[in-house]
Amino acid sequence: LQTLPPVQLAEKYFQIFPEERDPLWQNPCNDKRHKDIWSKEKTCDRLPKFLVIGPQKTGTTALFFFLTLHPAITSNFPSPVTFEEIQFFNGQNYHRGIDWYMEFFPFPSNASTDFMFEKSANYFDTEVVPKRAAALLPHAKIISVLINPVERAYSWYQHQRAHQDPVALNHTFYQVVSATPSASPELQALQSRCLTPGKYAMHLNRWLQHFQASQLLVVDGTQLRLNPAVVMEGIQRFLGITPFFNYTQALMFDEGKGFWCQRTENGRPKCLGKNKGRKYPEMDPESRTFLSHFYLEHNMDLLKLLDRLGQALPIWLREELQNTS
Ligand code: A3P
């Protein structure tokens, strides 16, 4: 029997099994053999019980903020690299391994009653994420926030402009959404990033290949913006979390901001920053009509999907379908 030093052995192994170069991390505590060789100081309790998966620009930061007010809910520590979100399952961070991921979570004081979570808004539409998330967190609950995809696309475009994206700055919204295959590759790439996350049913179906329907909750993002206390009640029920936290008392509407905020102890509102709930001109009617048609089929698919799952239809979906069909 021949062997090699560890690094060469690993190189040899991956020559023989190249398909295993891309890891699929599983929970070490779900397999006795893995647990037995794992360090005694480590625990699988430092993993989230639920994920807020996005998509971007639907109110995910507000949801994150409201969730952290709950006494039994704990979020991840912020990541300095990725603007607070961990973004573990979607990109190169995944290759840093599960120890890296677990470092973002505290040791829970009571693993059965504490609910840890993280929010990374581009998990929703990144192809590899559901498979990876299900491998490590097979029992996790998954929360997605959906607003009218037409509005989402516009908010995203405004976000890109605010971040000085040159392509967004040099093109109108209509030019972005209606770009044809003869447009520059940069414009086409921006268009795809603007429009693809809004094909909600397609992305949700991918999640449902890896998670049970009962693990998934679709939140109406318009309701979250207008009436967050009711939405937070539904989320607490879905998570099965105790104690029940009264968001009617914890939140207040701020007229100046035009959004719901935390009611602090001195009775003043604590709101999200200027980059959430931006002020920008209304969408032009031409873009709205174009996008309503663009998303019609996707919205119909979402209607069927939510019906099948027995989940409430978002108000914006009913309205959008009434207006376009
Ligand atoms: P706009 O800035 O375009 O208005 P995300 O956090 O997923 O990026 O979503 C940002 C959007 O959340 C904002 O988009 C805003 O409309 C919406 N939102 C919903 N509730 C909010 C709240 N309480 N405070 C600020 N923004 C909120």
Side-chain angles (χ1 to χ4, degrees):
L1 186 70
Q2 271 193 334
T3 189
L4 291 166
V7 174
Q8 279 123 300
L9 189 65
E11 276 164 4
K12 187 96 201 141
Y13 182 87
F14 288 122
Q15 272 167 18
I16 302 170
F17 302 107
E19 70 284 358
E20 288 188 20
R21 272 176 191 277
D22 194 21
L24 187 65
W25 308 122
Q26 293 177 356
N27 187 326
C29 301
N30 288 355
D31 186 324
K32 192 179 173 318
R33 289 168 308 168
H34 294 165
K35 199 171 175 204
D36 286 349
I37 58 170
W38 218 35
S39 161
K40 291 262 176 298
E41 277 136 47
K42 293 184 184 178
T43 162
C44 295
D45 297 336
R46 284 181 86 184
L47 285 172
K49 277 194 188 154
F50 69 100
L51 300 175
V52 176
I53 59 171
Q56 276 183 303
K57 307 317 296 172
T58 56
T60 56
T61 314
L63 176 57
F64 177 92
F65 177 48
F66 297 159
L67 285 165
T68 58
L69 303 180
H70 195 294
I73 296 180
T74 309
S75 70
N76 58 284
F77 306 124
S79 160
V81 201
T82 45
F83 306 102
E84 303 199 339
E85 295 182 346
I86 307 181
Q87 301 197 8
F88 175 63
F89 294 106
N90 55 315
Q92 280 310 308
N93 288 335
Y94 188 70
H95 294 265
R96 296 175 193 247
I98 53 175
D99 283 324
W100 183 86
Y101 187 51
M102 286 180 178
E103 288 286 315
F104 281 97
F105 297 95
F107 286 94
S109 49
N110 181 332
S112 53
T113 54
D114 287 2
F115 279 68
M116 295 206 283
F117 83 107
E118 62 128 335
K119 179 277 275 192
S120 294
N122 42 26
Y123 283 171
F124 178 78
D125 51 286
T126 308
E127 199 146 346
V128 288
V129 173
K131 180 178 167 191
R132 288 177 173 178
L136 185 62
L137 311 167
H139 306 296
K141 294 211 169 165
I142 306 295
I143 299 178
S144 168
V145 188
L146 303 183
I147 60 170
N148 189 327
V150 178
E151 306 285 350
R152 198 212 75 85
Y154 189 53
S155 168
W156 187 86
Y157 166 79
Q158 292 296 346
H159 176 88
Q160 293 308 111
R161 284 174 69 93
H163 283 264
Q164 306 298 315
D165 180 309
V167 191
L169 288 175
N170 288 329
H171 293 88
T172 64
F173 184 53
Y174 188 74
Q175 285 170 334
V176 173
V177 297
S178 65
T180 62
S182 62
S184 70
E186 294 78 21
L187 182 55
Q188 286 187 61
L190 187 83
Q191 180 193 45
S192 166
R193 288 168 58 220
C194 182
L195 299 182
T196 308
K199 300 174 180 177
Y200 294 149
M202 178 179 95
H203 301 297
L204 288 173
N205 273 320
R206 194 170 46 239
W207 281 89
L208 289 166
Q209 282 170 17
H210 299 276
F211 288 89
Q212 303 281 330
S214 59
Q215 288 174 277
L216 175 75
L217 179 71
V218 170
V219 167
D220 181 342
T222 306
Q223 280 289 90
L224 177 68
R225 179 160 60 77
L226 300 177
N227 202 348
V230 171
V231 170
M232 297 311 292
E233 227 173 78
I235 291 178
Q236 291 185 77
R237 274 199 304 275
F238 168 69
L239 293 174
I241 199 165
T242 51
F244 181 81
F245 186 65
N246 187 338
Y247 279 95
T248 308
Q249 278 166 19
L251 303 180
M252 65 189 285
F253 190 77
D254 183 285
E255 295 291 344
K257 172 90 181 164
F259 285 93
W260 286 84
C261 305
Q262 178 190 6
R263 185 196 305 275
T264 59
E265 271 169 20
N266 59 19
R268 295 234 186 84
K270 183 177 168 207
C271 304
L272 297 183
K274 276 203 292 291
N275 58 345
K276 299 293 168 184
R278 289 194 174 96
K279 308 257 185 270
Y280 42 76
E282 277 203 11
M283 192 188 320
D284 63 287
E286 214 182 1
S287 298
R288 187 175 287 280
T289 307
F290 181 92
L291 286 178
S292 282
H293 285 103
F294 177 86
Y295 282 121
L296 179 58
E297 228 175 273
H298 300 289
N299 283 337
M300 297 283 280
D301 288 347
L302 180 65
L303 177 92
K304 285 183 217 143
L305 175 66
L306 291 175
D307 249 355
R308 188 158 53 85
L309 297 179
Q311 296 217 18
L313 296 186
I315 297 169
W316 61 260
L317 181 60
R318 275 176 216 261
E319 287 176 355
E320 181 67 24
L321 289 173
Q322 269 162 14
N323 294 340
T324 27
S325 48

